[in-house]
Amino acid sequence: MGLTAAEKILKEHFREGTFKPGNEIGIKIDQTLTQDATGTMVYLQFEAMDIPRVRTELSVSYVDHNTLQTDYRNADDHRFLQSCAKKYGIYFSRPGNGICHQVHLERFGAPGKTLLGSDSHTPTGGGLGALAIGAGGLDIAVAMAGGLFYLTYPEIIEVRLTGKLHSMCSAKDIILTLLKKETVKGGVGKIYEYTGPGVSSLSVPQRATITNMGAELGATTSLFPSDSMTREFLALQKRASVWKPLQADDDAVYAKTITLDLDTVVPMAACPHMPDNVVEVSSLAGKKVDQVAIGSCTNSSITDLGIAADILQGKTIAESVSLAVSPGTKQVLDSAVKAGIYHTFVSSGARILESACGPCIGMGFAPGSKGISLRTFNRNFKGRSGTADASVYLVSPETAAASALTGTITDPRSLDSITTGNYTDIISINDNMIIPPVSPEESRSTEILRGPNIKPCPLGSRMPETIRGTVLIKVDDNITTDHIMPAGAKILPLRSNIPEISKHVFEAVDPHFHERAAAVEQGIIVGGENYGQGSSREHAALAPMYLGVKAVITKSFARIHKANLVNFGILPLVFKNPEDYNSIQESDELVIENISETLLNGNTLSVTNTRSGAVFTVSYDGDGRLIEILLAGGLLNYTKEQLTR
Ligand code: MIC
Ligand code: SF4
């Protein structure tokens, strides 16, 4: 039986476990990436492992999230990260050089490699034929130390593309179409592998838009084959030498096949407040728009900016609209200047922002009260833009630009014919904002520079035999890590300081969460389906751990968050009978006894609700290694115990 492209990479990197869907496997990681918002914790954890230099083929530390520098804290973080990179043999991409996923695609990604990143959109690299996976920071620290990355062997889903996109329809519309079909939890435990004759018409940046937003499906990752288009992209980047072909075997077997005819794809928009709340743009036509943002790791390539500029060419944006453009990388920004795209934007009335995440993570350009914002980004969770009552729609660059001109949501196909340019060949390569690793001698004498806001990573305590926990909060389905641990300009500077950031846990959902958690010794969180979707931020587990949360009981979990809970010694439990969710109230006391014995001998624990007297069962599906980690109080403690043994 032949192999799928994903299986070929998995097989080559497989080191431990049983090589079959559903089982835990350990794979070797070739490359890692971190970004500043998750990176400070990663390097604090790496430092605690006491390893002189990274053991990967290549590791890159990017600064792209917290670049506002409203006071000393972000700047101190940047200096800390730069000194860690020098100390440990890591490439350092300086602030201003661009968004991690886009820079990595341009300058470092390679077909057939495994890439692990402390950011959920790491699968962007799948556009180049790399098996690129997002994970919690601690998993990245372990991979940098040469440890394996453990994941559940995913189901491989084939997305067979036929036909060709019509003009004014783009890669964003493809992934939004898929999100409508598969939903934000449809991809949990799956890899989406793209095949079929439609693939060859999509450029690498277009493929990367699709694999980037595969994160919103909850997927482990998404993957395109490596073909002549990939080789062309790498040759333009003067990196043709890393190209190698990657394709599924003709007789490869997939768990399921979804066929998507690109001829039928039309402009789509994800409506507030979920990326799968997708409708056709034409059905929203005429709705007033207050602001438009073009950029983010999803749609900030030169092709994305080029088509938007073609639409804006010679025109002025509507008086009622504010338009911001953030080029994904310095390379894109420079190429946009060369190609005249920058001039077109500025002439049309656009505001040009830094090459960084910016508005995507609530770092500036927040909409006004009840504002309607159209963004080419990947997430529209409530409040993420920085304005709690704003409505964010996710659209393609074509729809964004067309709507900026008219001031209302506009189907770009309704515009008079647009002359489009080909901007892919205009490329400006200059890596002077990437600092390469130094020699081991220089590393040794490098001092790590810290600021007063950088506090050590707290350690968990051993799992108690009995949890007697208060239900601190009960939430619905699809709770995101943005709900659990919000980001934005006020909170992101606290990412290096867990005691401080923990005061903001669940802030937007319930401002008293922190006080309630502080008042009890052990806390429990109760959630619905797909709890913890979205970002990879381990702070959504680390801060609750710091507040004494011992278990989270839900109907189901998102992959990365569940792994983060285990990494920080919090039990991720699932109701055996989802109906039991209804019987729990906030402030109930839940008792779980004989934890280690039960977990080591099976996977079902019984829980007693002392208010109602009700007894119900929950399960944990992890294997022996994960149970050991939980009992040790998290991966850091477990690793220490292993080393002492
Ligand atoms: C996001 O898009 O939510 C982020 C900010 O990039 C996160 C990482 C973080 O919270 O630092 C992600 O996607 O993992
Ligand atoms: Fe940055 Fe937004 Fe991409 Fe996250 S989704 S990496 S915040 S641009």
Side-chain angles (χ1 to χ4, degrees):
M1 191 172 80
L3 296 176
T4 71
E7 281 170 334
K8 288 185 183 179
I9 308 182
L10 281 172
K11 192 168 174 208
E12 197 186 318
H13 293 81
F14 171 72
R15 295 290 180 278
E16 232 177 82
T18 313
F19 200 67
K20 266 206 194 129
N23 289 293
E24 203 194 36
I25 53 169
I27 58 168
K28 178 184 167 284
I29 295 299
D30 301 323
Q31 302 188 342
T32 63
L33 74 76
T34 58
Q35 42 90 340
D36 52 305
T38 51
T40 49
M41 276 300 140
V42 175
Y43 296 105
L44 287 167
Q45 290 153 358
F46 186 78
E47 200 183 6
M49 290 178 198
D50 217 11
I51 285 165
R53 218 173 153 84
V54 289
R55 293 177 177 158
T56 45
E57 284 174 16
L58 172 116
S59 288
V60 192
S61 169
Y62 294 92
V63 178
D64 52 2
H65 281 64
N66 303 338
T67 54
L68 285 183
Q69 289 170 238
T70 44
D71 61 26
Y72 65 91
R73 290 173 299 186
N74 289 167
D76 283 0
D77 281 352
H78 301 172
R79 197 179 52 174
F80 168 76
L81 292 168
Q82 186 165 348
S83 64
C84 287
K86 195 164 179 187
K87 180 95 194 152
Y88 297 122
I90 297 165
Y91 284 86
F92 183 69
S93 172
R94 302 178 67 179
N97 193 47
I99 307 174
C100 55
H101 310 302
Q102 287 297 325
V103 179
H104 207 87
L105 197 71
E106 290 168 353
R107 307 308 302 144
F108 297 108
K113 295 284 180 195
T114 50
L115 164 68
L116 195 70
S118 64
D119 192 283
S120 62
H121 291 105
T122 305
T124 312
L128 254 185
L131 196 83
I133 303 178
L138 189 45
D139 287 329
I140 315 303
V142 169
M144 287 196 301
L148 300 180
F149 173 63
Y150 293 89
L151 74 160
T152 310
Y153 188 117
E155 270 190 347
I156 322 263
I157 309 295
E158 176 182 34
V159 186
R160 191 174 155 73
L161 302 179
T162 60
K164 205 165 179 283
L165 282 175
H166 289 295
S167 136
M168 295 296 134
C169 301
S170 74
K172 181 62 153 277
D173 302 313
I174 300 178
I175 187 66
L176 288 174
T177 305
L178 205 61
L179 265 155
K180 184 179 167 71
K181 213 175 157 69
E182 295 280 282
T183 81
V184 289
K185 55 175 199 278
V188 178
K190 297 177 184 154
I191 292 181
Y192 288 85
E193 190 173 307
Y194 291 82
T195 68
V199 164
S200 61
S201 65
L202 299 172
S203 67
V204 167
Q206 286 176 315
R207 296 175 185 186
T209 294
I210 296 170
T211 56
N212 171 283
M213 238 184 134
E216 274 51 69
L217 294 164
T220 301
T221 191
S222 305
L223 182 68
F224 271 85
S226 170
D227 55 11
S228 57
M229 196 61 111
T230 322
R231 188 171 43 198
E232 231 171 78
F233 175 84
L234 287 168
L236 267 174
Q237 294 289 338
K238 304 224 172 338
R239 301 199 298 117
S241 60
V242 305
W243 182 80
K244 66 174 195 183
L246 174 74
Q247 203 100 44
D249 292 330
D250 289 342
D251 55 346
V253 177
Y254 292 92
K256 180 175 120 181
T257 295
I258 300 169
T259 304
L260 191 60
D261 179 359
L262 300 183
D263 280 307
T264 64
V265 170
V266 297
M268 303 297 261
C271 301
H273 299 284
M274 273 298 147
D276 62 356
N277 192 9
V278 174
V279 300
E280 292 186 13
V281 169
S282 57
S283 72
L284 301 168
K287 195 175 180 57
K288 199 177 159 304
V289 174
D290 300 298
Q291 68 160 215
V292 174
I294 299 175
S296 91
C297 57
T298 317
N299 279 118
S300 59
S301 68
I302 192 69
T303 345
D304 291 327
L305 267 49
I307 184 73
D310 289 339
I311 293 172
L312 295 170
Q313 178 66 48
K315 305 194 178 91
T316 298
I317 57 168
E319 195 180 302
S320 54
V321 170
S322 182
L323 167 67
V325 180
S326 1
T329 64
K330 177 180 132 163
Q331 181 184 105
V332 171
L333 175 54
D334 230 6
S335 312
V337 171
K338 275 195 185 162
I341 292 172
Y342 193 104
H343 175 73
T344 305
F345 279 132
V346 175
S347 307
S348 73
R351 297 162 61 180
I352 309 285
L353 306 182
E354 195 178 14
S355 290
C357 299
C360 177
I361 189 65
M363 302 300 271
F365 203 65
S369 303
K370 299 201 168 65
I372 309 272
S373 181
L374 248 62
R375 302 176 161 213
T376 65
F377 305 173
N378 49 35
R379 288 186 174 146
N380 58 349
F381 305 144
K382 197 168 175 8
R384 181 172 159 106
S385 65
T387 303
D389 59 8
S391 295
V392 175
Y393 293 77
L394 307 173
V395 297
S396 69
E398 289 85 344
T399 302
S403 308
L405 283 180
T406 60
T408 57
I409 298 186
T410 302
D411 185 330
R413 294 171 303 173
S414 67
L415 297 173
D416 292 341
S417 91
I418 304 287
T419 318
T420 50
N422 179 4
Y423 302 106
T424 37
D425 291 353
I426 302 162
I427 181 166
S428 162
I429 300 173
N430 177 353
D431 286 333
N432 65 353
M433 292 287 275
I434 299 176
I435 305 176
V438 297
S439 69
E441 294 71 51
E442 208 179 323
S443 280
R444 266 194 290 280
S445 59
T446 300
E447 189 197 338
I448 293 185
L449 305 172
R450 280 166 234 275
N453 186 49
I454 302 177
K455 305 284 187 224
C457 178
L459 287 178
S461 46
R462 271 199 81 77
M463 181 65 66
E465 256 321 291
T466 302
I467 294 176
R468 188 173 283 276
T470 305
V471 176
L472 298 172
I473 195 165
K474 182 180 169 185
V475 288
D476 295 336
D477 292 350
N478 291 326
I479 284 295
T480 72
T481 48
D482 277 271
H483 291 107
I484 307 169
M485 187 74 262
K490 192 175 103 202
I491 304 176
L492 270 194
L494 303 174
R495 286 286 183 96
S496 312
N497 186 338
I498 301 301
E500 274 309 308
I501 206 169
S502 65
K503 295 180 185 155
H504 300 274
V505 174
F506 276 119
E507 195 174 47
V509 183
D510 176 351
H512 302 292
F513 179 90
H514 168 251
E515 283 158 38
R516 275 206 307 281
V520 299
E521 208 158 301
Q522 297 185 337
I524 292 180
I525 293 169
V526 174
E529 297 277 6
N530 199 24
Y531 178 85
Q533 67 157 324
S535 156
S536 69
R537 62 190 72 149
E538 63 188 0
H539 298 73
L542 191 44
M545 173 201 90
Y546 183 79
L547 295 176
V549 171
K550 294 285 174 211
V552 180
I553 310 179
T554 68
K555 294 184 191 169
S556 68
F557 286 96
R559 174 186 66 89
I560 306 180
H561 186 60
K562 184 176 172 193
N564 283 337
L565 289 172
V566 174
N567 280 353
F568 292 101
I570 299 178
L571 266 173
L573 302 170
V574 173
F575 290 105
K576 286 278 225 192
N577 173 5
E579 292 293 308
D580 289 325
Y581 168 91
N582 301 328
S583 69
I584 302 175
Q585 294 172 11
E586 211 169 275
S587 301
D588 279 357
E589 185 191 60
L590 303 182
V591 181
I592 313 173
E593 289 176 309
N594 294 329
I595 294 181
S596 62
E597 196 192 313
T598 321
L599 283 181
L600 291 168
N601 294 307
N603 67 0
T604 303
L605 290 155
S606 71
V607 184
T608 309
N609 187 333
T610 59
R611 176 188 52 84
S612 61
V615 178
F616 60 94
T617 51
V618 293
S619 65
Y620 173 60
D621 61 0
D623 69 357
R625 192 187 69 92
L626 293 170
I627 289 165
E628 293 288 339
I629 293 173
L630 277 167
L631 296 181
L635 184 57
L636 279 173
N637 291 349
Y638 171 81
T639 311
K640 278 193 175 164
E641 281 178 14
Q642 296 286 102
L643 291 175
T644 352
R645 265 184 227 160

